[in-house]
Amino acid sequence: PPDVLQAAVDRGSEVHAICACIAKKLWVTEVPEHCAGYVRSFQGWFGSMVEEMVLAEERLYDHTRRFHGMPDLICRIKGDAGLSLVDYKTGAAVMPTWEVQIAAYRHLAILNGHPVKRILSLRLSKDGKPPKITESTRSMDSLFNVFVSALNCWRHFYGD
């Protein structure tokens, strides 16, 4: 139903905003109860896995291909030499579009001076448990090609 979908969208936006504050080491005044588990899930992962936060919730642009996006997090994971791009998810089911979205974010990151080597989706737990991680690094170039194809189809049928 539309109201359930809208509540999930709103919750996801709230969780993303709180996680960005945590990543940027900004003060978080209050975490709404319906977001608390997701935020605990993120905090546990971030505190144990992230060595360096490079960027959180910052809009990046590709002026040549004329698209933009806002990656959730670019960081250095403990033990890694390169940067990782991490996209938080609050949905229970994995969506096939996630990998394509994250590959497009990686392109934007590289174009804007952040040489990302790994791309991950982080499915946060509503119960505060450790998140589930899906890494799409091995197929990120072909996934970006899928994104460019979809972008070109959109422009062909609907214009800019």
Side-chain angles (χ1 to χ4, degrees):
D3 59 328
V4 173
L5 181 59
Q6 188 58 52
V9 168
D10 293 344
R11 181 196 66 229
S13 296
E14 286 179 276
V15 169
H16 276 72
I18 294 166
C19 292
C21 287
I22 292 166
K24 294 176 182 181
K25 298 186 190 260
L26 300 174
W27 186 40
V28 176
T29 57
E30 185 178 332
V31 176
E33 185 57 37
H34 63 277
C35 298
Y38 299 103
V39 171
R40 281 194 313 277
S41 181
F42 174 76
Q43 285 175 310
W45 175 84
F46 187 85
S48 66
M49 296 301 296
V50 175
E51 181 177 314
E52 173 191 7
M53 192 284 292
V54 174
L55 175 151
E57 295 283 331
E58 183 179 314
R59 188 154 303 277
L60 303 175
Y61 297 86
D62 179 339
H63 296 289
T64 302
R65 285 195 172 96
R66 299 182 331 269
F67 79 95
H68 56 90
M70 191 176 334
D72 295 336
L73 178 68
I74 297 175
C75 65
R76 187 172 323 281
I77 292 176
K78 291 177 181 176
D80 279 359
L83 299 178
S84 294
L85 191 146
V86 181
D87 198 54
Y88 324 138
K89 300 299 182 185
T90 57
V94 174
M95 302 298 290
T97 55
W98 290 355
E99 293 180 308
V100 174
Q101 173 192 17
I102 299 166
Y105 286 162
R106 176 183 176 260
H107 167 82
L108 292 170
I110 291 170
L111 202 60
N112 286 270
H114 306 289
V116 167
K117 301 293 182 195
R118 296 174 70 189
I119 57 174
L120 316 164
S121 64
L122 194 70
R123 250 183 324 142
L124 303 174
S125 166
K126 70 178 179 178
D127 299 322
K129 295 176 184 171
K132 294 179 180 170
I133 300 166
T134 303
E135 182 166 356
S136 305
T137 301
R138 290 186 182 181
S139 55
M140 59 191 170
D141 293 331
S142 61
L143 291 165
F144 180 66
N145 288 336
V146 171
F147 172 80
V148 171
S149 296
L151 181 63
N152 288 335
C153 286
W154 177 265
R155 290 195 173 130
H156 175 78
F157 291 110
Y158 302 105
D160 281 332

